[in-house]
């Protein structure tokens, strides 16, 4: 059983730590974590008493086989020196941070680097997880890694040129859809006699069943909408309003996320250039 290291147990890193153990992908005793804040490590040690919370990053790097780096681009600066000093060629380095270029990670000792972009839906032990492999992987190694990741997700390989759009859909998408659903619920409460509790309960049950309809292959997105939107019906009146107000909205969403992605990418490039000079 390989030993797994998770650097940074914030929202995504914390979820990844939990599902690695809860899915059986890794035994609790084989998981190492490292955080800048002691409180976060203590929380996970309370929840999973047999994990190891490293007090020094070097301890985690020297005792693990697969290392997940779950920090923001700006936090890489404090990690790179330890990576260069303590990692070996045989280890696997996985980043969940999309602006980090794999070719930059390939300048570090590990021959196998991979981008693994999770989604909050992986908490259910399923749902898409984006994978982009570096150049140092053999075909059989990639196959084995994907099989292991499939313990708690539906791994999907994506190329760099569609990474940001794919991440917007898979990783950011649940937050986008949740906001739209919240607005839908609050409007129902504002405009009608329904209570917030009633509206939330109905919306949650609708969304769960909606997912099952798609999962079970009864409809695709377009045919589902067409099935509900019968000619001359009430649904069509609501769709007219949604089409009017959503025109161009998601195009702007993708433009904005790509702008932020470009900024983060440039910051990462500057960070690495500075690190090389020093």
């Amino acid at each position: 059983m390989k030993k797994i290291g998770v650097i940074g147990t914030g929202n995504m890193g914390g979820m990844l730590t939990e599902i690695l153990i809860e899915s059986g992908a890794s035994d609790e005793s084989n998981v190492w974590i490292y955080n800048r804040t002691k409180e976060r490590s203590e929380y996970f040690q309370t929840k999973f008493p047999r994990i190891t919370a490293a007090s020094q990053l070097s301890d985690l790097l020297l005792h693990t086989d697969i290392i997940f780096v779950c920090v923001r681009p700006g936090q890489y600066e404090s990690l790179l020196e330890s990576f260069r000093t303590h990692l070996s060629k045989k280890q696997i380095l996985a980043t969940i941070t999309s602006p980090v270029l794999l070719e930059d990670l390939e300048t570090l000792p590990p021959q196998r680097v991979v981008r693994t972009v999770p989604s909050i839906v992986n908490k259910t032990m399923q749902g898409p997880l984006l994978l982009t492999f570096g150049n140092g992987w053999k075909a059989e190694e990639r196959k084995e890694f994907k099989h292991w990741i499939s313990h708690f997700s539906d791994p999907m390989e994506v190329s760099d040129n569609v990474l940001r759009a794919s991440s917007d859909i898979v990783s950011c998408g649940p937050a986008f859809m949740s906001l739209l659903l919240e607005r839908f619920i609050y409007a129902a409460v504002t405009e009608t006699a329904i209570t917030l509790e009633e509206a939330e309960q109905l919306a949650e049950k609708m969304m769960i069943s909606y997912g099952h309809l798609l999962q079970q292959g009864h409809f695709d997105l377009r045919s589902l909408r067409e099935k509900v939107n019968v000619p001359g019906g009430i649904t069509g009146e609501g769709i007219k309003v949604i089409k009017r107000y959503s025109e161009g909205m998601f195009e702007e969403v993708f433009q904005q996320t790509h702008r932020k992605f470009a900024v983060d990418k440039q910051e990462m490039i500057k960070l690495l250039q500075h690190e090389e000079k020093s």
Side-chain angles (χ1 to χ4, degrees), residues 240-278:
K240 288 178 185 177
V241 177
I242 293 171
K243 282 185 174 181
R244 183 165 72 248
Y245 285 99
S246 65
E247 184 70 34
M249 180 179 70
F250 283 110
E251 286 81 355
E252 189 171 344
V253 166
F254 282 104
Q255 292 164 13
Q256 189 70 16
T257 59
H258 278 63
R259 277 194 289 268
K260 172 61 174 166
F261 177 69
V263 170
D264 288 347
K265 204 169 178 180
Q266 278 303 118
E267 288 182 359
M268 191 66 196
I269 291 171
K270 289 179 182 177
L271 184 156
L272 289 165
Q273 290 174 342
H274 177 266
E275 195 268 342
E276 286 176 1
K277 289 179 182 178
S278 59

Side-chain angles (χ1 to χ4, degrees), residues 78-212:
S78 62
L79 307 177
L80 288 173
E81 184 178 350
S82 290
F83 286 171
R84 295 190 189 282
T85 304
H86 300 293
L87 289 177
S88 70
K89 290 184 178 181
K90 293 182 179 180
Q91 289 170 296
I92 295 172
L93 188 62
T95 177
I96 74 165
T97 315
S98 57
V100 177
L101 300 178
L102 293 184
E103 52 260 42
D104 289 330
L105 294 184
E106 286 175 331
T107 65
L108 301 171
Q111 292 183 333
R112 290 170 294 173
V113 301
V114 59
R115 185 182 294 107
T116 57
V117 181
S119 168
I120 193 69
V121 299
N122 298 143
K123 183 68 176 171
T124 65
M125 310 299 173
Q126 54 187 337
L129 183 146
L130 305 179
L131 287 179
T132 307
F133 289 97
N135 295 315
W137 293 76
K138 297 177 182 177
E140 188 60 29
E141 291 173 336
R142 290 161 65 127
K143 182 179 178 182
E144 288 177 2
F145 188 81
K146 286 179 71 174
H147 175 71
W148 179 68
I149 289 286
S150 69
H151 279 83
F152 52 85
S153 69
D154 179 9
M156 302 181 70
E157 285 194 58
V158 297
S159 58
D160 278 339
N161 65 321
V162 296
L163 168 65
R164 185 60 256 160
S166 301
S167 185
D168 285 343
I169 295 170
V170 166
S171 191
C172 303
F176 296 156
M177 295 303 111
S178 292
L179 176 59
L180 293 175
L181 194 59
E182 284 176 26
R183 295 279 177 88
F184 186 38
I185 291 167
Y186 295 154
V189 174
T190 300
E191 297 295 324
T192 75
I194 197 169
T195 67
L196 179 60
E197 183 180 1
E198 290 170 331
E200 286 182 337
Q201 187 178 49
L202 289 171
E204 287 174 5
K205 290 182 179 296
M206 179 275 293
M207 286 298 292
I208 292 169
S209 301
Y210 173 86
H212 286 315

